[in-house]
Amino acid sequence: MARWGMVIDLDRCTGCQSCVIACKSENNIPFVGEEQAKLGRGISWMEIIREVHGEGENARVRFLPRPCFHCEDSPCTKVCPVNATYRAEEGLVAQNYERCIGCRFCMVACPYTAKYFNWYKNEIPQIMKNHLNPDVSVREKGVVEKCTFCHHRLQKAKDQAAFEKRELAPGEYQTACQQSCPTDAIIFGDLDDPGSDVSRSARSNRAFRLMEELGTAPKVYYLERGEAIEV
Amino acid sequence: MTKEIWTYLLLTGVALGVLGVTIRAQSFHLVGNHQDYAPTQPLAFSHRLHAGEMSIDCQYCHSGAETSRHAGIPATSVCMNCHKFVTSTFGAMQAEDRTATEEDRPVQPVISDELQKLYATLGLEGAEAIAAWNPLEVTPAKADSMEPMPWVKVHNLPDFVYFDHRPHVNVGLECQKCHGNVETMERIRQVETLAMGWCVNCHRKYSEIGVNAKPVHAPIDCTTCHY
C-alpha cells in the first residue's frame, strides 16, 4: 500500500502563489472577503509562509508553501470526538465534513495551523458558479476543512486504473499544487517506493521536516541548501 | 354506564390508531430517504417493455455504466435508432395494415401520442421528417429547435456522496442489485433506500463472500465516497 508524501524544494520556490490559486480553484475553497480575512478567517489549504532573514541590503526572503502535512502521528486525529478526522487508508489524514460537528479541537491540536473553520456559508459569486469543481463537495458552514492531498484525484485515478485492470501507475495521481508549480518545486508520490523521485528527495541530506521535534512525523519534506540562510 | 362508553370509545380510538400506523408504516421514511419514489416522467417510457419484453441490454441505452462514473441518460438519437422505424405499437400498425387492405388504399403511417413527444423534442413533424432523420445532418441552426427530454432523476444521491458505476458494474454486480427489477417496472421506481447503511452493509458482505466467487475489496473507508 502506498504512503503518499510530498517534497517541496524551497530553493526552487519563487513564492509565485500559483499553487495557492490552483488549490483554491481545485477544491472549491470559499471566499470570506477582505474584512474577514484580516480577522484570520480566510481559508487557504495551501499557504505560503514568508520569512524575512537579515536586514537592509542583506535581507533575504524565504517562501515556505505549507499544505496539510498528513502526519504519521497526527495530533489532530487524536482529539476529534466524533472521528470526523482520522487516518485513512494509505496514511492520508482524512476530513469527513458530514461528520464534523465544528468543535475545532483539531484546529487547536494542529501545530502547523493547517486546519480551517468555515465561519460562513460558502457563497461563491454567481459568475463563478460554473467554475466549481464537481469532484469536490462544497463544505457547509460550521465544519473544519483542510488540504486532502487532492484525495479525489487519487480516487479518480484508482477507479480509472481498476477499470483498465491495472495497477496505479506512478505519476498518475498528482495534486493540483504540484501540477501548477512553474518551477517544479513540488514533488509528490509514494514515499515507500524507493525508486520514486519523492522518496529519493526525502532521503537526501538537504531534506528537513517542519517542527520535527514535536514527533508528529509529517509526510511533507522540505529541501534547502541550509548554509545559504543563517537563521 | 357513561364510564363504559368512554372506555369503549377509547379502545376503538386506540385500535384505529394502531391500524392507521400499521398501514402507514410501510410508507414511512426518514428525511432524505426517497425509497419508493416513482415520479411521473415527461414520456411514459416503459422499462418493462424495453428491458423486459424486448430484452434490450441495460447498457445499450445506459452505455456509460461500464466506462464512466455516470451510467447516463441516453441521447434522443439513441431512441431514434429504433424509433425512426417503430413509430407506434405493433398492434396499432397491424390494425392500420388491415384497414388499408380492406379499403384498398396505401398504408398510412401511424404515430402514437407518446412517441410524438419524442419526435417533438427533435423538432420532427410528420412521418416524412421522421423517416428522413439523420443525426449527422443536425446543424447548429436545427439544433436550436430541439429540446432535451426533461426526464426526472429517480436514483439521486446527495451532493456530498461520490459514486462511480464502473467498479460496481465491472466486478460483475447486476444492475438489479441496486436498482431493483427494472425490467418489470412500467414506470421506474426507487426500490432500495440508497442510504449509507445500505451501501456499507453490502460492501461488508461482499468483502467477505466475494462477487461470483471472486474475492473483492469493497472499501468501507469514509473517504471512498465522501470528499
Side-chain angles (χ1 to χ4, degrees), chain A residues 57-224:
Chain A
E57 279 184 10
N58 299 325
R60 296 190 66 161
V61 184
R62 181 170 80 160
F63 300 106
L64 196 130
R66 194 245 43 222
C68 169
F69 290 161
H70 293 264
C71 310
E72 296 278 30
D73 195 2
S74 46
C76 58
T77 56
K78 290 174 187 164
V79 296
C80 183
V82 290
N83 214 12
T85 183
Y86 64 98
R87 282 175 46 74
E89 289 172 353
E90 312 198 331
L92 295 178
V93 175
Q95 183 82 28
N96 196 345
Y97 316 118
E98 290 74 45
R99 198 177 257 190
C100 177
I101 55 170
C103 69
R104 293 180 274 147
F105 281 2
C106 56
M107 289 174 68
V108 179
C110 178
Y112 307 106
T113 62
K115 296 215 157 192
Y116 293 92
F117 187 65
N118 279 283
W119 287 93
Y120 300 98
K121 194 171 172 287
N122 188 345
E123 275 165 353
I124 301 275
Q126 189 59 41
I127 197 166
M128 292 183 73
K129 281 267 162 72
N130 292 343
H131 297 259
L132 284 175
N133 183 357
D135 289 342
V136 180
S137 57
V138 172
R139 275 77 58 188
E140 288 291 316
K141 172 184 173 178
V143 300
V144 173
E145 59 181 62
K146 67 162 191 77
C147 159
T148 57
F149 266 179
C150 287
H151 168 266
H152 56 282
R153 289 181 172 213
L154 169 65
Q155 206 62 38
K156 214 173 185 177
K158 267 188 186 170
D159 281 336
Q160 185 63 34
F163 167 58
E164 290 168 13
K165 294 194 170 55
R166 56 177 173 80
E167 290 291 306
L168 193 68
E172 204 173 355
Y173 165 33
Q174 290 188 320
T175 62
C177 50
Q178 173 204 12
Q179 234 176 6
S180 69
C181 183
T183 56
D184 290 335
I186 301 176
I187 312 164
F188 185 78
D190 184 2
L191 286 170
D192 276 355
D193 176 6
S196 68
D197 279 354
V198 73
S199 77
R200 266 188 284 120
S201 309
R203 274 180 279 128
S204 88
N205 52 9
R206 292 168 64 214
F208 74 96
R209 293 187 287 188
L210 214 59
M211 295 195 241
E212 208 158 357
E213 68 278 9
L214 295 176
T216 53
K219 283 204 288 292
V220 176
Y221 293 79
Y222 290 102
L223 299 183
E224 201 189 27

Side-chain angles (χ1 to χ4, degrees), chain B residues 8 19-20 29 32 47 57-58 63 120 130 164 188 193 206 212 223:
Chain B
Y8 284 125
L19 193 73
H29 293 315
H47 274 91
D57 192 85
C58 305
S63 53
I130 295 164
D164 198 322
I188 207 80
T193 59
Y206 283 112
N212 303 334
T223 52

